[in-house]
Amino acid sequence: MSQGFFYVSGEELLLWRRESSAQAITAKIATQELDWLLQEIADLDALSLRLESFGEREKISLTCSFPELKSLWKRRIQERVPVQYLAGMTTWRNFKLKVAPGVLIPRPETELIIEIAQQATIPKSLDYHWVDLGTGTGAIALGLAASFPSATIHAVDSSATALAIAKKNAQLTKLQERITFYHGSWWQPLSHLAGQVTGMVSNPPYIPTQELATLQPEVWQHEPHLALEGGNDGLDAIRHLIETAPQYLVTGGIWLIEMMVGQGENVVSLLSEQGNYRDIQIIRDLSQRERFVLAYRT
Ligand SMILES: C[S@@+](CC[C@H](N)C(=O)[O-])C[C@H]1O[C@@H](n2cnc3c(N)ncnc32)[C@H](O)[C@@H]1O
């Protein structure tokens, strides 16, 4: 997207917005997405969009040219590119985060994992180390940094693209001093933390391979498969995290993941069989769906 300021007349933008809303309805895309994009790109607020009062303004400033805005929306409708990739940003908890193709767009349902971490029983220690494994945009790491002001946060991803965006987000939110980023696979870059980790939080890839193509085109055609695909039963990464975490967690340390609805029972069995976890519990999201598992290192 171009830098700098561009202008369009209110009347022209109003006409285009009406046409584009109609296209959205035909394409079964929420019209709110158009307004969200407009609020990111134009100096418009939700009220002036709702009342269409902006139509009377002589000029409205844009962060890209009007033809560019039109072509972005065309990509939304024709190629099903997620609107957050078009805008280059999303909101998550109280953060405004940079996103780009190559990194998963953090989901609102994942926000709850931070509250679960806050409410978990935290083992007493002098040093608090939290890890976010598979950090993507860095969303969870940032949420942990904001929630645990005296902790050091370690964020890992095997995608260099994701990690570059996560570092940028740490700078944008001024939390960069609190988070160390590592490029590598799960615990592999964290050997120096063996036996010292207070809590592991992860939203790993958990979609069974054969289900990928059944996801909305926005997801499976545009979001990185590395962030989604969890092998035959979706549990490859989770199984690995169950096996490896006890070596890194302190006694009483927190093991917390997000998963797909329907995986809870298997994850609980795997944790019990591993033998180094206690107080294993499935936690529901705000829609009462089983989406998280919390356990503690014995
Ligand atoms: C479901 S996304 C979650 C991203 C972010 N934590 C969030 O909640 O929005 C899973 C992340 O795991 C990363 N990942 C996949 N395999 C990995 C591995 N072996 N080691 C570290 N990260 C991995 C992906 O690159 C992706 O960023």
Side-chain angles (χ1 to χ4, degrees):
M1 208 177 290
S2 312
Q3 296 294 314
F5 277 88
F6 301 85
Y7 297 96
V8 62
S9 76
E11 196 182 354
E12 216 181 333
L13 192 65
L14 178 64
L15 284 176
W16 176 77
R17 177 176 173 263
R18 286 184 180 162
E19 271 169 37
S20 304
S21 294
Q23 286 171 350
I25 293 165
T26 311
K28 296 192 169 39
I29 289 170
T31 53
Q32 290 90 327
E33 288 196 14
L34 176 62
D35 285 355
W36 186 82
L37 185 63
L38 279 170
Q39 285 177 78
E40 287 310 313
I41 289 179
D43 66 336
L44 293 175
D45 58 25
L47 186 66
S48 69
L49 283 161
R50 197 163 67 238
L51 302 177
E52 294 193 336
S53 53
F54 67 89
E56 287 156 26
R57 278 170 56 185
E58 201 175 308
K59 60 180 196 178
I60 290 165
S61 65
L62 304 173
T63 56
C64 65
S65 71
F66 190 37
E68 271 180 282
L69 170 61
K70 287 179 174 174
S71 89
L72 286 178
W73 187 249
K74 205 164 160 190
R75 294 191 65 209
R76 176 73 195 98
I77 299 286
Q78 294 180 353
E79 298 168 35
R80 313 290 298 197
V81 178
V83 71
Q84 295 91 337
Y85 285 159
L86 298 174
M89 61 78 55
T90 193
T91 50
W92 194 84
R93 291 180 65 88
N94 53 338
F95 303 118
K96 209 165 176 179
L97 302 180
K98 185 177 159 64
V99 293
V103 65
L104 187 102
I105 299 161
R107 304 297 202 265
E109 55 267 33
T110 305
E111 294 181 358
L112 197 60
I113 211 163
I114 303 298
E115 263 80 51
I116 301 170
Q118 285 169 344
Q119 284 162 24
T121 310
I122 296 164
K124 290 215 181 324
S125 161
L126 287 176
D127 299 317
Y128 291 96
H129 294 283
W130 284 85
V131 303
D132 170 16
L133 300 184
T135 195
T137 53
I140 292 175
L142 297 171
L144 292 170
S147 304
F148 300 107
S150 61
T152 305
I153 316 297
H154 307 266
V156 179
D157 210 292
S158 58
S159 156
T161 310
L163 218 52
I165 290 172
K167 285 180 188 169
K168 185 92 197 145
N169 281 326
Q171 285 164 3
L172 290 172
T173 54
K174 304 198 181 343
L175 287 165
Q176 74 272 26
E177 304 295 324
R178 305 278 323 285
I179 308 171
T180 311
F181 291 96
Y182 306 81
H183 186 210
S185 184
W186 307 129
W187 292 99
Q188 169 258 319
L190 302 178
S191 54
H192 59 290
L193 292 177
Q196 297 176 59
V197 174
T198 313
M200 176 212 88
V201 184
S202 182
N203 173 17
Y206 49 64
I207 313 283
T209 305
Q210 63 280 13
E211 285 184 35
L212 272 190
T214 68
L215 301 175
Q216 292 172 322
E218 281 81 352
V219 181
W220 93 276
Q221 286 175 13
H222 295 285
E223 295 202 86
H225 287 195
L226 180 67
L228 302 168
E229 190 171 354
N232 270 345
D233 60 358
L235 296 175
D236 282 3
I238 295 175
R239 228 179 256 112
H240 179 77
L241 297 179
I242 291 173
E243 278 310 311
T244 47
Q247 206 186 317
Y248 294 88
L249 293 172
V250 294
T251 301
I254 292 156
W255 187 95
L256 171 60
I257 58 135
E258 179 179 309
M259 59 171 183
M260 199 165 101
V261 172
Q263 291 177 333
E265 232 175 88
N266 283 336
V267 175
V268 169
S269 308
L270 289 165
L271 283 160
S272 312
E273 283 161 24
Q274 204 282 337
N276 285 304
Y277 298 94
R278 62 169 170 81
D279 297 327
I280 303 164
Q281 47 196 297
I282 296 176
I283 297 174
R284 293 169 188 265
D285 66 12
L286 301 175
S287 317
Q288 294 309 311
R289 296 172 309 166
E290 296 185 341
R291 294 300 308 275
F292 307 95
V293 176
L294 169 68
Y296 296 88
R297 169 81 167 94
T298 50

